[in-house]
Amino acid sequence: MEIFNGVQQAIASKINNQSTISNWKDWKWQLKHSISTIEQFEKLTGIDFSEEEKGKLGKTLDKFPLSITPYYASLISQENYKNDPVFIQSFANINELNVLNTDLADPLSEDRDSPEVGITHRYPDRVLFHVSNVCAMYCRHCTRKRKVGDVDFVPSKEQLQKGIEYIKKTPQVRDVLLSGGDPLMLPDSKIDWLLSELSAIPHVEVVRIGTRMPVVLPYRITDNLINILKKYQPLWINTHFNHPREMTSSAKEAVRKLADGGFPVGNQTVLLANVNDCPRIMKHLVHKLVQNRVRPYYLYQCDLSEGLSHFRTPVGKGIEIMESLIGHTSGFSVPTYVIDAPGGGGKIPVMPNYIISWSTDKVVLRNYEGVITTYKEPDHYENKFCDRDCENCNLELNLQESDEMKSLGIEKLLSDSDASISLIPEDNERYNRREE
């Protein structure tokens, strides 16, 4: 019979002496017993704070609330908790009250780019659909700290319908990203309804879900949820692992279910001081991800949200990490390092520069080892002037899928779907005379 590990057993027994492994792996039980106070945290983890610390931490929680699942709390190293990456990401820090002049409540101007409540429309062909402000855990580095714990925004179907109607009347939207909060905090029935509504919109080609559930509450990825999601392909899942220690056996099982369900799974990591700002940690993380069929997608520079200054690293640290990955590990293991531009400019790639110089006929490049080489440009390339007159362009602009059912040779004569009755050799003189 499956049993708890020691830390999980200790935490579960402190919550309820009758707790079983089935309780522990029940995501609703986990949410019901989420840690939201300093006192709960001390009781369940055995970590004690001084009265002075508790006073300062209480002020932090007055501004930025606390919520940690018992599962995620069980990953904290009690012996060295102050340097533990799980603790740093999940528990309050008095430095969150240090709001700099450069900090912004809404650093990405999501509210200003919102044509409808819950919708952020920044890029031409896609929208971000905020479907909840509630998360299983309130990450201390969250870019939307202004919304975290806003219980007044757990939208009803009527509120969500307004966002759906905006998408319906905006035909250029081909990609919808469900975000929050965490979309998987919604009940299965509402997720089913929401995906059903979106999949019925003809111009919506793909739906994405951004969730941290595989990391902080992997038991949410139930067989029933997978069966619901499988009805609405193509569906892409992006999750948020920041450190190798988060890839537990339960997390592996969650992403296995998603991958086996046929969903492409990506990961968005945030570069965080004292958590993962180390080339060795980041390389180990991306290797853990691809080993479990999760593609590293983005490495984010930490945003300028209020109270995050202690998490931010210099951009140079991110460049150093990218230098340690590119060429040093598989290309599909390397995320794109981006800064989400303050003011709503969108994601800007910030990568090492491998072009040293170039002229009219040569490009000088360097590789990850420092080898310098040249690439000779073509001598006879004629740049085609584009006047945007696509209807009269002589390039191949038939963008539809190719027909795989075309018959050739004898197959063509045998096919009931082809009206041909004979095959005529090229340059047949008799047929050429007919055409003269």
Side-chain angles (χ1 to χ4, degrees):
M1 185 179 76
E2 190 173 13
I3 59 174
F4 299 113
N5 67 37
V7 175
Q8 292 173 344
Q9 177 68 73
I11 291 177
S13 63
K14 290 175 183 177
I15 293 173
N16 185 334
N17 285 328
Q18 305 302 314
S19 296
T20 64
I21 188 68
S22 60
N23 292 138
W24 184 264
K25 293 201 168 186
D26 181 344
W27 70 278
K28 294 180 180 178
W29 183 93
Q30 287 273 338
L31 290 176
K32 181 179 179 181
H33 296 97
S34 289
I35 300 167
S36 58
T37 68
I38 299 170
E39 291 69 28
Q40 279 180 295
F41 183 84
E42 289 182 314
K43 175 186 174 182
L44 297 182
T45 64
I47 295 172
D48 294 318
F49 303 101
S50 68
E51 291 302 316
E52 181 182 0
E53 286 177 315
K54 285 192 279 190
K56 293 178 179 179
L57 291 170
K59 293 179 180 178
T60 304
L61 297 189
D62 288 341
K63 184 173 178 63
F64 302 118
L66 179 74
S67 181
I68 313 172
T69 60
Y71 161 80
Y72 199 72
S74 75
L75 308 184
I76 296 172
S77 171
Q78 297 181 19
E79 293 76 20
N80 188 26
Y81 71 89
K82 289 186 177 180
N83 295 316
D84 184 84
V86 175
F87 175 82
I88 293 170
Q89 291 181 76
S90 60
F91 195 74
N93 188 312
I94 59 174
N95 289 321
E96 292 175 52
L97 297 180
N98 295 334
V99 178
L100 306 182
N101 293 334
T102 52
D103 288 353
L104 302 167
D106 180 18
L108 308 181
S109 295
E110 291 178 322
D111 295 339
R112 294 180 65 184
D113 285 332
S114 179
E116 181 59 71
V117 174
I119 294 286
T120 298
H121 192 170
R122 171 165 300 138
Y123 299 101
D125 68 341
R126 52 205 184 275
V127 296
L128 187 145
F129 195 176
H130 301 256
V131 296
S132 171
N133 277 349
V134 182
C135 293
M137 186 184 87
Y138 296 150
C139 303
R140 309 317 296 182
H141 58 276
C142 182
T143 192
R144 297 184 185 128
K145 288 176 81 81
R146 69 191 187 282
K147 292 178 178 287
V148 166
D150 183 0
V151 294
D152 294 328
F153 191 74
V154 180
S156 63
K157 281 188 177 181
E158 291 72 25
Q159 289 172 304
L160 292 173
Q161 192 67 52
K162 293 179 180 178
I164 292 168
E165 291 304 319
Y166 175 82
I167 295 168
K168 284 182 179 179
K169 70 181 184 182
T170 314
Q172 64 265 37
V173 174
R174 49 164 291 280
D175 178 354
V176 178
L177 169 60
L178 302 182
S179 186
D182 199 308
L184 298 189
M185 285 292 285
L186 298 176
D188 286 356
S189 59
K190 186 174 280 190
I191 293 172
D192 195 357
W193 169 81
L194 182 58
L195 292 175
S196 175
E197 290 290 310
L198 292 172
S199 66
I201 302 174
H203 54 265
V204 173
E205 299 174 3
V206 64
V207 175
R208 292 180 283 164
I209 295 177
T211 178
R212 209 179 183 206
M213 287 295 192
V215 184
V216 300
L217 185 51
Y219 314 126
R220 175 63 181 104
I221 312 303
T222 63
D223 292 339
N224 187 61
L225 176 64
I226 294 294
N227 289 332
I228 289 172
L229 300 180
K230 284 169 73 172
K231 296 190 295 183
Y232 302 107
Q233 298 282 22
L235 185 66
W236 294 60
I237 308 293
N238 276 333
T239 189
H240 181 179
F241 288 88
N242 284 332
H243 194 278
R245 288 194 53 225
E246 296 172 326
M247 188 60 81
T248 65
S249 58
S250 294
K252 290 177 182 179
E253 175 66 9
V255 296
R256 182 197 65 76
K257 287 183 178 182
L258 290 168
D260 285 353
F263 311 109
V265 184
N267 187 73
Q268 301 184 148
T269 294
V270 180
L271 181 57
L272 300 170
N274 302 314
V275 172
N276 57 17
D277 54 332
C278 164
R280 290 183 63 186
I281 290 175
M282 200 63 73
K283 184 183 289 188
H284 194 56
L285 172 61
V286 298
H287 287 173
K288 283 280 189 183
L289 290 169
V290 298
Q291 185 181 359
N292 288 279
R293 292 181 288 171
V294 180
R295 174 74 184 267
Y297 179 29
Y298 282 135
L299 172 62
Y300 278 97
Q301 179 68 10
C302 189
D303 289 328
L304 296 174
S305 294
E306 292 181 340
L308 301 191
S309 60
H310 62 295
F311 278 122
R312 290 200 281 272
T313 69
V315 173
K317 174 56 70 173
I319 296 293
E320 176 191 350
I321 288 171
M322 295 308 298
E323 291 275 20
S324 76
L325 296 177
I326 297 172
H328 297 276
T329 192
S330 311
F332 61 80
S333 301
V334 181
T336 300
Y337 180 37
V338 296
I339 296 176
D340 219 339
K347 300 173 188 66
I348 300 173
V350 185
M351 302 292 276
N353 190 1
Y354 291 93
I355 297 179
I356 294 177
S357 189
W358 67 93
S359 65
T360 56
D361 64 341
K362 284 185 180 180
V363 180
V364 181
L365 307 155
R366 60 101 175 176
N367 79 343
Y368 73 101
E369 301 167 306
V371 173
I372 297 176
T373 187
T374 59
Y375 175 83
K376 177 70 171 64
E377 297 277 40
D379 292 326
H380 304 295
Y381 176 73
E382 295 183 8
N383 189 28
K384 180 177 176 61
F385 172 73
C386 181
D387 58 5
R388 301 296 191 267
D389 184 11
C390 294
E391 294 299 322
N392 297 310
C393 183
N394 62 8
L395 292 176
E396 176 57 68
L397 289 179
N398 183 354
L399 303 181
Q400 300 304 313
E401 295 93 341
S402 294
D403 183 0
E404 298 182 25
M405 301 305 293
K406 291 180 180 177
S407 301
L408 297 174
I410 301 302
E411 179 191 17
K412 188 174 185 179
L413 299 181
L414 293 173
S415 174
D416 292 332
S417 62
D418 195 300
S420 300
I421 60 172
S422 60
L423 300 177
I424 311 301
E426 188 177 355
D427 295 328
N428 180 281
E429 292 185 8
R430 180 165 56 89
Y431 274 80
N432 287 341
R433 285 198 300 271
R434 288 182 181 182
E435 296 174 1
E436 290 177 356

